[in-house]
Amino acid sequence: SVVNPFVASIAEKASPKRAQRGLWGGKKINFGNNVSHSGKKTRKRWSPNIVTKRLWSDCFDSMLRLKVSTYVLRTIDKKGGLDNYLAETPDEKLDSRLGSFLKEQVLEQRRRILLGQDLLPPPSMSDIAYKEKRAAMHEKWLQDHRFDK
């Protein structure tokens, strides 16, 4: 069967690449028409309600800075926290590379806690990793801008 390229491009736009870098919970961009009183139709798109939030991770004992939909925020609250949401939600519902990565990290961290092994460092989007990165950048800047060279 021949695929209409216009329909394929709409499907690609409905799940943007930025959805892979956050937890949207399967929410996509919706398309439709605004219909005026005269009946004239103009195309419209409805974007999901995406917010940047700092969410606590029990496994990593730190806050993670994530872009999440408000739908996912309610689901995280219902499941009892970010770690439970990631562990219990199927990969098809997470629908993002970041979600799958965090799920693997949380499950591995829980396994290590149960076995008493060394723990994984927090992911790069955690506040701890962010502060360490900023400190390293500051040190590099100080080295580059020394006056006694």
Side-chain angles (χ1 to χ4, degrees), residues 1-2 5 11 22 27 29 32 44 57 64-65 70 75 77 81 91 98-99 101 103 105 111 120 127 139 147:
S1 73
V2 178
K27 295 295 179 186
I29 297 171
K44 179 170 173 51
S57 171
L64 301 181
R65 191 179 312 263
T70 52
T75 309
D77 200 25
D91 285 334
L98 176 69
F101 168 75
K103 180 177 184 172
Q105 294 282 304
R111 186 187 70 76
L120 295 171
D127 282 357
E139 285 297 321
F147 294 110

Side-chain angles (χ1 to χ4, degrees), residues 1-2 5 10 17 31 42 60 72 91 93 107 109 125-126:
S1 73
V2 178
I10 288 177
K17 289 181 182 177
F31 299 94
T42 54
F60 296 108
V72 169
D91 285 334
K93 188 70 175 173
L107 294 176
Q109 190 80 319
M125 69 281 308
S126 73

Side-chain angles (χ1 to χ4, degrees), residues 2 16 37 68 75 80 86-87 92 98 106 114 123 133 138:
V2 178
H37 179 67
V68 296
T75 309
L86 291 169
E92 298 82 39
L98 176 69
V106 165
L114 284 175
K133 179 180 168 186
H138 182 67

Side-chain angles (χ1 to χ4, degrees), residues 126-145:
S126 73
D127 282 357
I128 295 169
Y130 180 74
K131 287 176 184 173
E132 289 172 357
K133 179 180 168 186
R134 294 287 298 174
M137 287 171 52
H138 182 67
E139 285 297 321
K140 183 181 180 319
W141 185 88
L142 288 176
Q143 291 295 327
D144 293 345
H145 293 83

